Structure formats: structure tokens, C-alpha cells
Amino acid sequence: MTLKKAKRMSMAEFEKGSGSGEPLDVLQVRQEADAAWAERAFRGGEALGAPIRIQRGRPKAGESPAPTVVKAIRLPETLLEQLQTRAKAEGLSLNALLQTAAAEYLMRHRGA
């Protein structure tokens, strides 16, 4: 597999290629909504992310498992190997590591 070399561009080329972006008033409204959400979240008024169980194996007797959906994804071999190594080092299954990574991503990228 060959990797494509990234083309270097000037700031003017970047600005021209990326378009004008969103109007300032739209960005200000979004920033205000995000700031309000952050205030609620840090006061405990809103969850920062979906709670997930990151232990290995099945739930304990009497615990009901969280509803899940099976989704197949394609990963480059090297990425899969790195994820498996990290999961093993942290004492997690690959599935638990990927669920944790997805939850952390959503917490950090609220607009996603």
C-alpha cells in the first residue's frame, strides 16, 4: 500500500479552498448554546456522555445489560493491532476499549 503525499498549500489557497464558512451570528449562537450546555454539565444538570460498562464479560447476575447494536467496521491492520495492544495493557476487551473511545470522542466533540 502506498501513501499519498500531502500537498502543501499556502494560507491563501487554504482559505480559498475552504470557502467562506458560517456567518458570525450563527457561530455566536452556537457558542452561546455550547457555553450553556457546559455550565449545565459541570453543575451536574446534564450528563457529559452516555454511561457505558467497561468491564470484561457479561453483566453480574441481576444486572440488565445495556441495549446494544452490532456494527462491523473496517480498520487498517496496524490500527487494529495497536488497539488490541492497548486494550490488553488496560485489561479491557477490544469492544470495551472501542466503546470507551467512542464515548470519549462524543464527550469532547459535542456537535458530532
Side-chain angles (χ1 to χ4, degrees):
M1 178 189 329
T2 60
L3 295 175
K4 192 187 243 187
K5 283 192 174 181
K7 179 186 172 219
R8 292 190 112 34
M9 63 174 67
S10 68
M11 185 57 130
E13 290 173 318
F14 174 77
E15 288 173 347
K16 182 181 176 186
S18 62
S20 62
E22 295 179 275
L24 181 59
D25 58 335
V26 171
L27 293 174
Q28 287 174 332
V29 168
R30 184 179 312 141
Q31 191 276 334
E32 289 169 6
D34 286 349
W37 171 83
E39 288 292 327
R40 288 192 309 273
F42 290 122
R43 278 185 277 139
E46 189 167 326
L48 289 173
I52 62 168
R53 190 176 61 84
I54 58 169
Q55 296 131 0
R56 296 182 78 115
R58 297 182 176 272
K60 294 179 181 167
E63 279 186 15
S64 58
T68 59
V69 175
V70 176
K71 180 70 180 166
I73 60 170
R74 293 182 182 272
L75 298 172
E77 281 186 47
T78 54
L79 176 59
L80 177 60
E81 290 167 2
Q82 290 172 344
L83 289 168
Q84 288 171 326
T85 301
R86 176 64 61 95
K88 185 175 182 179
E90 293 186 18
L92 298 170
S93 66
L94 179 60
N95 181 59
L97 180 81
L98 290 172
Q99 287 181 0
T100 303
E104 286 179 13
Y105 177 86
L106 291 174
M107 281 191 286
R108 293 178 187 197
H109 299 84
R110 184 169 113 41

